[in-house]
Amino acid sequence: MSLVTTKDLMLDAQKNHYAIGAFNAENMEMVQAIIAAAEELRAPVIVQTTPGTLKYASPAMFHAMVAAAASEASVPVVMHLDHGSSYELAMQAFRAGYTSVMIDGSHHVFEENIEITQSVVRACHAAGIPVEAELGKVGGKEDDLDGGNGNGYTVPSEAAEFAERTGVDSLAVAIGTAHGVYKGTPKLDMERLSEIRKVVSVPLVLHGTSGVPDDAVRECVARGMCKVNYATDLRIAFSKGLKEYLAKDPEVFDPKKYSAVGREYVKEYVKSKILVCGSNGKA
């Protein structure tokens, strides 16, 4: 199957009260693992890359890997730019063939966030590519992304205005999650999420989900989250597989052997989160 966009997938998720799992990939093995997990559970899936990952390898390189894997899959696969940090990077991903683009202007003031988001929406919508944006500040650190300490929670009325004025297809909102590894159990503002859902018509996105208890994620989905992002825990799973293999056989020199273990660990993790999102059987 060719790569698809998020547009129809997320509208279906919104209508039928589940979420699409969005998983960050850092290499070929993680791409393979994410799509294999989706295949086993018959789930649509989003593979995404951050600006930091795209410094390691180009958007064209990652797009080629994901497109090749998707062509052999029988479930819908999206190639998404996660936390696009500038108009220029968003356009690089767009030109490389990404089928969904996020522009993250949340570090700008409200009007500047609207302006940069509108510019990406105009360019991408001309070619039928959906755009995700962010309002509010998801804290923590991941790659080059530094959300700072604490969270600037999304204001429902501002979210409604932002979605209307920008024409975005989905909106990431801040309700108490953070990027990276949590030092404690996050406390999410579920009532805020419900208020946002009442006034914003486009699908909502949950960022910073690695480490959030599964029951909390399920409640977020029940209250209207249509896309759930996972990144840090995939890296941890892959690294754990490598470390365990190398500890047992420190003389190994074939990267295929230990990378295959990392790939399996990532696949099992992704499967568990697809079940949490409720997207299994929706492909």
Side-chain angles (χ1 to χ4, degrees):
M1 182 180 290
S2 299
L3 289 170
V4 300
T5 75
T6 50
K7 184 75 173 181
D8 291 338
L9 296 184
M10 289 180 63
L11 289 175
D12 187 75
Q14 184 176 41
K15 178 182 177 181
N16 294 297
H17 310 292
Y18 66 94
I20 311 294
F23 303 96
N24 287 55
E26 310 292 335
N27 56 27
M28 181 189 73
E29 288 80 9
M30 293 175 79
V31 170
Q32 292 172 321
I34 293 164
I35 295 177
E39 282 271 49
E40 286 192 19
L41 294 179
R42 307 303 307 155
V45 72
I46 299 168
V47 183
Q48 51 189 33
T49 53
T50 64
T53 301
L54 297 178
K55 289 181 179 179
Y56 181 70
S58 70
M61 178 72 77
F62 273 100
H63 173 267
M65 284 195 293
V66 176
S71 71
E72 300 174 353
S74 59
V75 297
V77 178
V78 175
M79 182 76 232
H80 176 72
L81 173 65
D82 186 29
H83 284 290
S85 52
S86 66
Y87 176 84
E88 290 74 21
L89 181 60
M91 291 303 97
Q92 285 180 38
F94 170 71
R95 288 191 292 268
Y98 278 52
T99 53
S100 179
V101 170
M102 179 187 184
I103 179 65
D104 182 1
S106 62
H107 288 74
H108 297 290
V109 298
F110 186 72
E111 289 297 331
E112 290 177 356
N113 190 354
I114 286 179
E115 184 178 352
I116 189 174
T117 301
Q118 286 175 332
S119 67
V120 174
V121 167
R122 282 193 296 269
C124 290
H125 278 189
I129 300 300
V131 176
E132 174 186 334
E134 182 170 325
L135 185 66
K137 191 168 72 171
V138 178
K141 294 183 179 181
E142 183 177 71
D143 277 350
D144 299 329
L145 178 70
D146 187 348
N149 297 318
N151 297 281
Y153 288 89
T154 303
V155 177
S157 60
E158 289 184 351
E161 179 183 352
F162 184 90
E164 177 68 25
R165 289 176 60 186
T166 60
V168 291
D169 302 278
S170 59
L171 183 64
V173 294
I175 59 168
T177 55
H179 298 104
V181 179
Y182 287 98
K183 296 178 181 178
T185 302
K187 292 180 172 58
L188 308 187
D189 190 340
M190 296 297 185
E191 292 307 315
R192 182 181 298 271
L193 170 56
S194 292
E195 288 302 311
I196 295 170
R197 178 71 285 164
K198 288 177 184 177
V199 297
V200 175
S201 61
V202 301
L204 301 178
V205 181
L206 184 66
H207 282 245
T209 318
S210 289
V212 176
D214 289 344
D215 285 346
V217 176
R218 291 187 185 97
E219 184 174 352
C220 286
V221 173
R223 289 176 182 256
M225 288 295 186
C226 301
K227 173 176 177 271
V228 178
N229 286 19
Y230 293 96
T232 301
D233 279 351
L234 277 78
R235 297 175 180 179
I236 292 172
F238 186 77
S239 298
K240 182 180 179 182
L242 267 63
K243 290 172 183 176
E244 289 185 1
Y245 191 100
L246 292 169
K248 293 177 183 177
D249 187 1
E251 301 302 318
V252 66
F253 57 85
D254 185 349
K256 294 188 294 296
K257 292 183 177 180
Y258 48 77
S259 294
V261 180
R263 179 174 61 196
E264 188 62 25
Y265 277 42
V266 172
K267 186 180 83 168
E268 291 306 310
Y269 175 82
V270 171
K271 285 171 62 178
S272 72
K273 299 310 176 185
I274 286 174
L275 294 172
V276 171
C277 290
S279 57
N280 50 299
K282 300 298 195 296

